[in-house]
Amino acid sequence: MPAKVLINGYGSIGKRVADAVSMQDDMEVIGVTKTKPDFEARLAVEKGYKLFVAIPDKERVKLFEDAGIPVEGTILDVIEDVDIVVDGAPKKIGKENLENIYKPHKVKAILQGGEKAKDVEDNFNALWSYDRCYGKDYIRVVSCNTTGLCRSLYAINSVADIKKARVVLVRRAADPNDDKRGPVNAITPNPVTVPSHHGPDVVSVVPEFEGKILTSAVIVPTTLMHQHTLMVEVDGNFSRDDVLEAINKTPRIITVKADEGFTSTAKIIEYGRDLGRLRYDINELVVWEESVNVLENEIFLMQAVHQESIVIPENIDCIRAMLQMEEDNFKSIEKTNKAMGIQ
């Protein structure tokens, strides 16, 4: 029987996870939830998803009915029927849902990267921690930035022992549909203190990197993608070609060339559009080939992260791990990638 998945929060992440689950042959979307009767709620119904109200309140149900959007009830009317919940709620709400809904109803749940690492049993990346999360009840899929770093560091670690990593993150200011955040005309340290929280978040997935990774970040006025510059000190005998080969062999990483027109994140997004990707999603980490360089015992590279979609396949693999549907992480990755058309 396909795994029964509830998407609690049909927003930027939730709607993508719902579509990704629908592409798999071993799981199905039992329902999605919304807190308010907006266009996303209406579209969810039009796409055939059963809609539930995320807040168990009769007055809230009436808001949907008055707006002409049919609902099946509240989350409490479906929670007992699911195998697992993927929480797509805004930052901090996922923790509240965990304590107030998922744990009391003894249902497995996946939280997103906006929640704290300590709030769950473990932190998930398909390459690094699939085995640790196998069969667990409450797991967090780490953030878009952490997911990107985990992929590139996995590739580097496959050819050389990582001694120290320094990363500068240039973060987008907001998602394209977010009209409440900025900056509009500034570069904002995020946070001002160095190192930033991104290094410890990688360590939550790869504990052996404790004390080895330091990060700093700024926010810039763009909505398309994040960009990272990595400077990694390593042990081992290797060449630039070895590093590029490792990157190209690692699942969910693609390389692009500035010489072929990939001169910015805007060009990468245009590539996603030209591929016909739904919502121009780039689920893969994108590494500029020309940026990959080896100087003595240091590896340098630049990469781009599509913040809205890079974690989506990770959620699918996390479902399989937690429900013990597939023991081999690479088999799960391959299955997910094939279904979603990921390189």
Side-chain angles (χ1 to χ4, degrees):
M1 293 290 292
K4 298 177 180 179
V5 184
L6 174 67
I7 313 298
N8 189 19
Y10 191 77
S12 180
I13 297 297
K15 61 189 176 185
R16 287 173 166 84
V17 174
D19 290 344
V21 168
S22 298
M23 295 174 185
Q24 313 302 312
D25 62 11
D26 56 353
M27 57 187 75
E28 61 180 334
V29 178
I30 293 299
V32 303
T33 77
K34 286 290 290 181
T35 59
K36 56 187 177 183
D38 58 10
F39 73 92
E40 288 179 319
R42 193 178 300 279
L43 283 172
V45 174
E46 291 177 1
K47 292 184 76 167
Y49 295 128
K50 291 184 178 180
L51 181 64
F52 296 83
V53 181
I55 300 172
D57 178 79
K58 291 182 179 179
E59 291 300 316
R60 186 69 61 144
V61 173
K62 190 173 184 302
L63 288 177
F64 283 79
E65 293 172 345
D66 291 346
I69 300 177
V71 295
E72 308 291 326
T74 75
I75 187 171
L76 297 186
D77 295 312
V78 69
I79 195 71
E80 301 286 353
D81 300 327
V82 305
D83 296 314
I84 194 167
V85 180
V86 177
D87 189 287
K91 184 177 181 178
K92 297 183 180 180
I93 303 300
K95 170 67 184 314
E96 294 178 9
N97 290 337
L98 177 64
E99 299 300 332
N100 298 330
I101 300 177
Y102 311 145
K103 286 184 176 180
H105 288 273
K106 296 181 172 58
V107 61
K108 291 175 180 279
I110 298 171
L111 303 188
Q112 302 305 314
E115 307 305 323
K116 301 291 187 183
K118 62 181 177 59
D119 293 334
V120 291
E121 293 174 87
D122 212 328
N123 297 275
F124 185 85
N125 175 267
L127 292 169
W128 287 102
S129 60
Y130 190 99
D131 292 346
R132 293 204 320 262
C133 297
Y134 195 78
K136 296 288 179 65
D137 293 327
Y138 307 112
I139 297 295
R140 168 179 168 263
V141 170
V142 291
S143 73
C144 50
N145 283 305
T146 304
T147 297
L149 290 172
C150 283
R151 290 183 191 171
S152 53
L153 291 173
Y154 183 92
I156 293 170
N157 198 63
S158 70
V159 294
D161 293 328
I162 293 175
K163 294 175 60 180
K164 188 177 294 184
R166 299 288 185 269
V167 184
V168 177
L169 298 91
V170 180
R171 302 182 59 197
R172 62 91 180 95
D175 287 343
N177 69 340
D178 187 345
D179 56 7
K180 297 179 181 179
R181 297 171 63 185
V184 174
N185 187 29
I187 298 174
T188 306
N190 182 253
V192 174
T193 56
V194 178
S196 67
H197 66 276
H198 303 92
D201 207 34
V202 172
V203 172
S204 75
V205 177
V206 194
E208 55 263 42
F209 285 170
E210 179 76 47
K212 294 183 178 181
I213 179 168
L214 293 175
T215 57
S216 65
V218 297
I219 295 176
V220 298
T222 182
T223 64
L224 298 178
M225 302 181 82
H226 303 299
Q227 186 271 338
H228 304 163
T229 298
L230 282 71
M231 298 152 279
V232 186
E233 185 179 341
V234 296
D235 276 333
N237 296 314
F238 55 90
S239 66
R240 178 177 183 271
D241 287 343
D242 294 330
V243 176
L244 279 171
E245 183 180 3
I247 289 171
N248 287 317
K249 283 183 176 179
T250 302
R252 298 174 183 162
I253 303 181
I254 59 174
T255 57
V256 298
K257 296 180 180 180
D259 282 349
E260 294 181 355
F262 291 99
T263 54
S264 69
T265 55
K267 299 297 186 182
I268 295 171
I269 292 299
E270 186 69 8
Y271 177 63
R273 293 189 181 105
D274 288 346
L275 286 176
R277 294 276 184 95
L278 181 62
R279 307 183 185 94
Y280 62 75
D281 284 351
I282 306 289
N283 303 106
E284 301 90 344
L285 175 69
V286 182
V287 175
W288 276 280
E289 184 172 317
E290 292 96 333
S291 75
V292 178
N293 199 7
V294 174
L295 296 176
E296 296 181 350
N297 66 332
E298 285 194 85
I299 296 171
F300 301 85
L301 65 85
M302 290 190 286
Q303 61 190 34
V305 174
H306 186 225
Q307 73 281 355
E308 297 175 287
S309 67
I310 194 170
V311 302
I312 305 307
E314 304 292 327
N315 275 268
I316 301 302
D317 294 326
C318 192
I319 291 170
R320 290 202 185 95
M322 293 174 67
L323 294 179
Q324 298 175 291
M325 298 166 65
E326 172 57 65
E327 291 186 13
D328 189 309
N329 65 321
F330 285 102
K331 287 183 179 179
S332 179
I333 289 171
E334 182 180 5
K335 184 176 181 67
T336 301
N337 289 358
K338 183 177 180 180
M340 294 181 65
I342 297 172
Q343 298 182 37

